[in-house]
Amino acid sequence: MTMHVIDYEIIGDDLQFVEVELDPGEAAVGEAGAMMYMQDGVSMDTVFGDGSAQEGGWMGKLFGAGKRLLTGESMFTTVFVNEGQGKKRVAFAAASPGKIVPVHLRELGGALLAQKDAFLCAAKGVSLGIAFQRRLGAGLFGGEGFILQKLEGDGYVFLHAGGALVEKQLKAGEVLRVDTGCVVAFQPSVDFDIEYVGKLKSALFGGEGLFFATLTGPGHVWLQSLPFSRLADRILSQAPAATGSKSSD
C-alpha cells in the first residue's frame, strides 16, 4: 500500500482542530477518540495497531497493536476512508489547549520520534512504532521520554503540542536542556538523554524536578510550553480537598 497524499486545514487558535480533505479512495488514520466530525461518504473502521502496510497478516497487526500498548496508547486506531464521490472531509480535534503541528515525514528523512501523547492523526500508511531509549539514565528517569513513538513514512503526520509551540533547529553539537514533559518530538539525528540537575538545593526546592532532558544536535526539535501533565497537576493542586460528604442546606 502506498502512502496516501492528503490536503488539510488547521482551524482555531488555542483550541485547534485539523480538517483533512480526502480524495475518493484516500484514507487517514487517527488516534482513538480524536475524530470531531466527518462528511457523508467517509467510512470509519477501528483496527488493531496503525493499519499501515508493514503490518501484513494477523500476527503483524497484533504486534503493531502491542507496540502501541507499550507507549501507553490504545491498541486500536481508527481509519477513515473516502468511499464516496468527490472530495470529503474529516476533522480531528486535540484533547487539550495548544497547537497542532503538521509535519511532512519525507522532508525529515522519513522518521520522527515523538512523545507518546503527541500523535493526533496522519495519512494512511504512516507506521506508528516505538523507540526505546538506549541510555540507562533516560530509561530510569526519563518519565515521558523513556518509550517514545517512532513515526515512519513519507506523508503528513499531525502532532499536538500543549500551550505554545516552539521549534528549534539544533546545529551539530549544540545542546538544549529542557523539562522532560516539554519535549514534543525530534528528528532521530538528535541525541536524547536525561541529566541530573546537579545541585541538591535546586533538586529539592527549585520546583523543576530532579532531572531534565538533554537534546544534542544536529536536527529539528519541537517543544511545548504547557504539558498536559503539568496542567493537570496545577488544577489538582488548586482544587478543594474532597470531604466525602455534602454540607446540608
Side-chain angles (χ1 to χ4, degrees), residues 218-238:
H220 206 84
V221 174
W222 290 262
L223 307 176
Q224 57 188 354
S225 67
L226 184 61
F228 182 74
S229 58
R230 184 182 295 179
L231 176 62
D233 289 343
R234 182 59 60 90
I235 292 173
L236 288 174
S237 69
Q238 298 299 318

Side-chain angles (χ1 to χ4, degrees), residues 44 74 92 160 187 199 201 231 234 249:
M44 180 178 68
S74 168
F92 303 90
H160 179 255
Q187 288 183 270
K199 296 181 180 179
K201 183 172 65 174
L231 176 62
R234 182 59 60 90
D249 295 331

Side-chain angles (χ1 to χ4, degrees), residues 1-87:
M1 180 179 59
T2 58
M3 184 73 58
H4 290 206
V5 180
I6 58 175
D7 297 318
Y8 70 91
E9 180 182 5
I10 295 176
I11 302 170
D13 186 14
D14 294 325
L15 295 168
Q16 294 186 329
F17 67 93
V18 57
E19 190 179 67
V20 175
E21 184 178 81
L22 302 175
D23 291 328
E26 284 186 343
V29 58
E31 189 61 76
M35 191 274 289
M36 179 180 176
Y37 62 80
M38 58 183 180
Q39 291 184 322
D40 186 40
V42 177
S43 69
M44 180 178 68
D45 187 24
T46 301
V47 298
F48 271 118
D50 56 24
S52 66
Q54 292 91 327
E55 290 182 4
W58 172 253
M59 288 303 296
K61 293 179 180 179
L62 188 62
F63 180 67
K67 291 190 298 182
R68 288 176 50 76
L69 189 63
L70 284 173
T71 65
E73 301 294 334
S74 168
M75 293 180 68
F76 301 91
T77 51
T78 309
V79 178
F80 300 84
V81 183
N82 180 3
E83 296 183 342
Q85 300 295 321
K87 297 179 182 293

Side-chain angles (χ1 to χ4, degrees), residues 174-192:
E174 183 179 357
V175 177
L176 189 66
R177 293 178 174 85
V178 186
D179 179 274
T180 56
C182 291
V183 178
V184 176
F186 51 91
Q187 288 183 270
S189 59
V190 174
D191 186 74
F192 177 92

